[in-house]
Amino acid sequence: MDDVDATHGKGESVPQRGVTAALEYVADPVFTVEDGTIIYANERAKNALELPTDVIGTEASNALEPIWSNLETEIAETTIGTVRNVDIDVEAFDARVHRGHDGATVTLHSHDDETEFEDVDRAVKTRAINEAPVGFSLSDPHMEDNPLVYVNSAYEELTGYPGDEVVGRNCRLLQGPESDAAATDEMRAAIDEERPTTVEIKNYRKDGAEFWNEVTVAPVRNSAGEITHYVGFQNDITQRKEAQFALQERTDELEYILERVEGLIQDVTTAVAGSISRSALEQSVCERIAAESPYEGAWVGERNPATDVLEVRATAGVDPEDVPVDADHPSAVSLETESVVVETHGGMTQAAFPLEYNGVEYGTLTVCSDQNHEVTDREEVILSALARAVASGINARETSRMLATDAVVAVELDLTDPALVPVALTTETDCQLEYRRSVHRTGDDTASLFTATGIATEDLQSAASTLEDADLEVLVEREDSCLIEVHSDDDFVRWLSERGILVQSIEADSGRARVTLEIPHSTNVRGVVEAVQSKYDGTDVVSFRQHERGGDTQEEFAASLEGKLTERQFASLQRAYLGGYFEWPRPTTGEELAQSMGVSRPTFHEHLRSAEAKLCQAFFDDEPDSR
């Protein structure tokens, strides 16, 4: 509806007769219907609908035929206080219904007014585009260099360029030195091929700041299918790209670490398995670690119990000095705390790892790198695993040379902890136990043989039944003693053997066990003793005695012979001897010994005869037996 002018005709004042009078001067045809009756119609409405001059007060169904049937339904369905557009069967007009409480006012508008509504629709679309939260731009391919002809507010905010600075310029103004050429080529190709495309490209704001832009370019066509413009949508995806780059960086780092770790672990494992001595093993490991690009070098140190100094045993790439064990040095702190210590010391980052196997201390492994190098958690895990492998290898070397070494330390200990089976048994009974030897059982399992005196076998078995995680089996009964086999989950002899320590003897009586250990001189004796004291409460050191071996010892001869016997042959010979099978009269039979091994009597005798032949050959012949 047009606004009402202040004057009408030739300067004549408009009479103030209320709304009804004002409607007379409305340019659009207007009429009002109440309860099915026409109560008002302006001259334009009378003329447009060819209504009689006295139409006021007549029934709408008569005066407005044939448009009333459609209008009546639309008026009834229009919500009070709202407006509805209605198509009517009049060639030049459409209707707009304004519904009130008492009736409805209908305004007719010419089809020529569609341009006005198109303009309104276009304004809404323009406002929506300008206020959209993503960058929007239009370029005109018919102009030279396809310049931008429109950008919205989001584009200005995203790029930092005011609209008047970018209109007339090509969108490449956002490109810079690190903009991907492949992305710009793809956009150029899409425009040449008249197709849409989306690319991700690094762009630059007006102030030079970089941002990642997700750009979508698409052609705009008219009703004839001809391209009139290209539309562009810009979306800031900097955070997403940075997250992608961070993830890729972590992935690449992990792949590099895994690749490097694979080679490092393989080489260290080879050194551990292939080195003929502890010194060679330590030197190989240091050299392999020093060859890694992040590291300057590595060294291995071991505590000297006499001087309480961490002495350098092997080094590569660095030239360290001996370190007092109470010094404020990563290696000394790691040794004392039995933990990984990473600190900057002496102008380098030093990561120290304790070398410990089954509670026995073998020193520290220290890895040195540039002071700006940060040792990551992954590196700590990897190097800790390597340190454990090195400690295991050192333990294996120490164990293997135990029988061959000439310099040994004999250590006597008193143990009263009932966690040790002989202590527990002699606490509960009046018997005495004497350790004879360890024996192999099925698989890798072992047990210890003891001679028990001063007790009936029933009482001994009754006492053993109260022990947790321990089994006792009587193998041979004599008049004043018996041979028993003791198996426990926490086998004392096996635990020491894994650390390269020989148990020479165990004599238990009245809840106290006197244990004699033979430790190689090169082994950290103090560390071994401290490990025993830590494991078993009430452990006292009775004596230390260092001596040199002369010639082959009984243990060396037994070990040499044991290497020639099969497991079953050795077990048959051992049980036969300890069970008194070679005595007369025999306190036990071959069938009883076979039963204790879980084999048949013929099988037992076959193993025993083979073992006897090899034993004789060890005394009288240098040629090895082929059986």
Side-chain angles (χ1 to χ4, degrees):
M1 182 184 302
D2 295 336
D3 294 336
V4 178
D5 294 335
T7 60
H8 180 65
K10 298 180 180 180
E12 186 178 292
S13 298
V14 177
Q16 301 299 314
R17 299 193 302 270
V19 174
T20 301
L23 289 174
E24 293 291 340
Y25 301 96
V26 174
D28 294 325
V30 177
F31 61 90
T32 301
V33 178
E34 183 177 319
D35 294 329
T37 302
I38 297 175
I39 63 171
Y40 171 78
N42 69 358
E43 290 300 320
R44 285 288 305 272
K46 295 176 182 178
N47 294 333
L49 298 175
E50 299 179 354
L51 301 176
T53 56
D54 58 348
V55 70
I56 306 302
T58 63
E59 295 291 327
S61 58
N62 295 326
L64 298 176
E65 185 67 27
I67 67 171
W68 177 248
S69 60
N70 187 25
L71 271 177
E72 183 179 24
T73 301
E74 296 290 345
I75 291 173
E77 294 179 354
T78 303
T79 305
I80 295 175
T82 63
V83 178
R84 177 176 293 199
N85 292 323
V86 181
D87 291 330
I88 59 176
D89 191 17
V90 175
E91 181 176 352
F93 294 99
D94 287 327
R96 181 178 299 169
V97 176
H98 300 257
R99 176 71 186 275
H101 289 279
D102 299 326
T105 299
V106 179
T107 304
L108 305 183
H109 60 84
S110 171
H111 292 315
D112 295 337
D113 293 339
E114 288 182 359
T115 302
E116 175 187 349
F117 293 107
E118 290 177 0
D119 291 341
V120 172
D121 185 57
R122 186 180 299 110
V124 173
K125 292 178 181 178
T126 300
R127 186 165 61 252
I129 290 172
N130 193 55
E131 296 178 4
V134 297
F136 178 90
S137 62
L138 280 175
S139 67
D140 188 345
H142 303 292
M143 299 176 66
E144 184 180 355
D145 201 26
N146 191 16
L148 297 172
V149 294
Y150 172 81
V151 295
N152 70 349
S153 299
Y155 181 99
E156 295 177 332
E157 183 178 353
L158 174 64
T159 66
Y161 287 97
D164 57 2
E165 290 189 22
V166 295
V167 170
R169 301 173 64 181
N170 187 279
C171 62
R172 74 174 67 91
L173 83 159
L174 299 180
Q175 297 174 20
E178 294 187 18
S179 297
D180 186 6
T184 58
D185 290 345
E186 166 59 18
M187 287 190 290
R188 189 178 297 109
I191 292 173
D192 292 341
E193 298 168 12
E194 300 183 349
R195 59 177 173 83
T197 189
T198 299
V199 300
E200 295 177 355
I201 185 170
K202 181 180 286 188
N203 280 161
Y204 295 82
R205 296 185 173 90
K206 180 179 179 180
D207 61 3
E210 301 175 350
F211 72 100
W212 278 95
N213 196 359
E214 181 183 64
V215 182
T216 297
V217 177
V220 179
R221 302 177 187 272
N222 60 19
S223 59
E226 300 169 335
I227 294 178
T228 61
H229 295 83
Y230 275 92
V231 62
F233 299 95
Q234 294 79 25
N235 188 23
D236 187 349
I237 58 169
T238 303
Q239 290 185 346
R240 188 184 80 192
K241 294 295 289 186
E242 288 177 348
Q244 290 178 351
F245 292 145
L247 177 61
Q248 186 61 48
E249 184 178 354
R250 288 174 63 86
T251 300
D252 293 342
E253 177 188 359
L254 183 58
E255 289 178 352
Y256 168 74
I257 289 176
L258 290 176
E259 181 180 351
R260 179 163 59 89
V261 166
E262 183 179 2
L264 181 59
I265 291 178
Q266 183 176 357
D267 291 345
V268 169
T269 302
T270 300
V272 170
S275 300
I276 60 175
S277 67
R278 173 180 176 178
S279 297
L281 184 158
E282 293 169 337
Q283 187 61 39
S284 296
V285 169
C286 289
E287 291 175 356
R288 179 60 184 86
I289 293 176
E292 285 296 313
S293 56
Y295 307 128
E296 301 288 337
W299 61 281
V300 172
E302 183 183 29
R303 184 203 306 259
N304 185 329
T307 62
D308 265 347
V309 168
L310 189 65
E311 296 180 343
V312 178
R313 286 184 53 87
T315 182
V318 291
D319 187 21
E321 297 180 353
D322 295 346
V323 178
V325 295
D326 59 354
D328 184 18
H329 188 283
S331 302
V333 176
S334 175
L335 183 73
E336 208 59 34
T337 61
E338 300 179 359
S339 62
V340 179
V341 177
V342 181
E343 293 180 1
T344 300
H345 191 91
M348 290 188 295
T349 297
Q350 301 199 35
F353 303 85
L355 296 177
E356 180 181 290
Y357 185 81
N358 281 343
V360 178
E361 170 197 304
Y362 292 109
T364 59
L365 169 66
T366 304
V367 179
C368 305
S369 55
D370 185 271
Q371 63 179 352
N372 295 322
H373 173 70
E374 180 181 355
V375 179
T376 65
D377 293 341
R378 293 192 186 96
E379 281 183 281
E380 282 195 26
V381 172
I382 294 163
L383 293 173
S384 293
L386 292 181
R388 288 193 295 271
V390 172
S392 174
I394 293 174
N395 172 265
R397 300 303 178 278
E398 294 297 298
T399 301
S400 64
R401 54 181 293 209
M402 174 63 196
L403 295 175
T405 185
D406 291 331
V408 295
V409 177
V411 179
E412 286 190 1
L413 304 173
D414 268 349
L415 287 84
T416 58
D417 192 336
L420 191 66
V421 174
V423 172
L425 288 175
T426 59
T427 299
E428 297 295 327
T429 67
D430 294 330
C431 73
Q432 296 83 43
L433 296 178
E434 181 182 356
Y435 170 70
R436 303 306 298 270
R437 189 175 179 88
S438 286
V439 295
H440 292 288
R441 301 182 68 176
T442 56
D444 295 330
D445 202 6
T446 61
S448 296
L449 299 181
F450 288 85
T451 298
T453 58
I455 188 173
T457 56
E458 310 85 58
D459 295 337
L460 188 60
Q461 290 174 323
S462 176
S465 66
T466 64
L467 302 180
E468 295 183 3
D469 303 323
D471 298 319
L472 183 148
E473 181 181 356
V474 177
L475 301 180
V476 178
E477 290 188 64
R478 293 190 173 94
E479 184 176 344
D480 57 349
S481 66
C482 61
L483 180 67
I484 63 173
E485 180 181 275
V486 176
H487 172 263
S488 64
D489 294 338
D490 182 20
D491 187 274
F492 178 66
V493 177
R494 183 180 67 243
W495 181 74
L496 287 168
S497 178
E498 289 173 349
R499 290 155 176 75
I501 313 303
L502 287 180
V503 177
Q504 291 291 86
S505 66
I506 302 175
E507 296 178 356
D509 185 9
S510 301
R512 180 177 296 275
R514 173 66 59 86
V515 179
T516 302
L517 307 179
E518 194 169 85
I519 306 173
H521 182 265
S522 60
T523 298
N524 185 347
V525 177
R526 173 180 171 180
V528 172
V529 172
E530 288 178 349
V532 176
Q533 291 175 326
S534 176
K535 186 175 180 63
Y536 297 102
D537 294 335
T539 299
D540 293 325
V541 179
V542 178
S543 67
F544 284 89
R545 182 170 55 87
Q546 182 173 324
H547 64 87
E548 298 288 331
R549 286 177 175 165
D552 288 348
T553 64
Q554 177 184 353
E555 288 78 11
E556 291 169 338
F557 176 78
S560 175
L561 177 61
E562 186 175 348
K564 299 176 182 179
L565 301 176
T566 67
E567 183 176 318
R568 289 296 189 181
Q569 290 169 357
F570 179 80
S572 299
L573 184 63
Q574 185 181 57
R575 289 176 187 250
Y577 172 73
L578 296 175
Y581 185 76
F582 300 113
E583 301 175 10
W584 190 260
R586 289 174 175 167
T588 186
T589 66
E591 185 168 356
E592 292 172 335
L593 293 174
Q595 289 178 352
S596 73
M597 292 178 58
V599 299
S600 65
R601 184 174 62 83
T603 300
F604 168 77
H605 283 293
E606 174 62 25
H607 290 321
L608 181 60
R609 282 195 297 271
S610 297
E612 289 171 337
K614 290 182 180 180
L615 177 59
C616 292
Q617 191 173 43
F619 276 105
F620 306 118
D621 191 358
D622 292 333
E623 293 297 324
D625 191 281
S626 60
R627 284 179 294 175

